[in-house]
């Protein structure tokens, strides 16, 4: 358990194979024509991709430390097609505890090339952008190249 600082990984590519529960470090770097995408926010060191939620396209951090699912800003709550009412819970991040409202989407979301059917979501006031955690990535392989600011998601 712990947090590995993203800037310390600038010279390598970090590989996550979620279905096989494997993590690796590679010197093979991501390039323009290999199916990878630039981070959505080029000023941010946290990998991010566009997340399509219905007709909305919002920036989403890719966060292996998030074990809840897909975090969404409160601003999109009224546009969610949920399977039932949201339930109030408490969540914890590196910056402390906060309230979240959890539920399951009746629709799918698209993160890069990865389609996630009826994911669990948590809505919150604390973070202004979306956050995609490991439950949404459990059928994917992901490579992150921090130095080149590229990320590749592949369904597995």
């Amino acid at each position: 358990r712990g947090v590995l600082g993203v800037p310390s990984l600038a010279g390598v590519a970090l590989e996550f194979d979620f279905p096989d529960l494997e993590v690796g470090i590679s010197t093979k770097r991501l390039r323009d024509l290999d199916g990878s995408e630039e981070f959505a926010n080029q000023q941010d060191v946290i990998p991010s991709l566009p997340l399509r939620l219905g007709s909305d396209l919002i920036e989403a951090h890719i966060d292996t430390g998030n074990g809840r699912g897909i975090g969404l800003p409160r601003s999109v709550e009224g546009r969610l097609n949920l399977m039932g009412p949201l339930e109030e819970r408490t969540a914890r991040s590196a910056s402390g505890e906060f309230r979240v409202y959890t539920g399951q989407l009746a629709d799918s979301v698209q993160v890069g090339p990865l389609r996630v059917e009826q994911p669990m979501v948590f809505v919150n006031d604390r973070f202004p952008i979306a956050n995609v955690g490991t439950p949404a990535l459990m059928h994917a392989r992901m490579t992150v190249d921090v130095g080149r600011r590229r990320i590749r998601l592949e369904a597995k």
Side-chain angles (χ1 to χ4, degrees), residues 17-19 114-116 134-141 154-156:
D17 186 327
F18 292 100
L114 187 65
R115 186 178 184 92
V116 184
T134 53
L137 300 170
M138 287 312 294
H139 300 288
R141 178 181 300 138
E154 304 168 276
K156 187 171 177 187

Side-chain angles (χ1 to χ4, degrees), residues 93-142:
S93 74
S95 58
E97 286 189 356
F98 57 100
R99 294 258 182 252
V100 296
Y101 303 88
T102 64
Q104 187 171 6
L105 284 181
D107 301 322
S108 63
V109 298
Q110 185 94 21
V111 182
L114 187 65
R115 186 178 184 92
V116 184
E117 299 293 335
Q118 300 178 330
M120 292 301 295
V121 296
F122 62 96
V123 178
N124 68 89
D125 290 321
R126 186 165 220 168
F127 301 108
I129 67 170
N131 185 292
V132 177
T134 53
L137 300 170
M138 287 312 294
H139 300 288
R141 178 181 300 138
M142 176 176 76

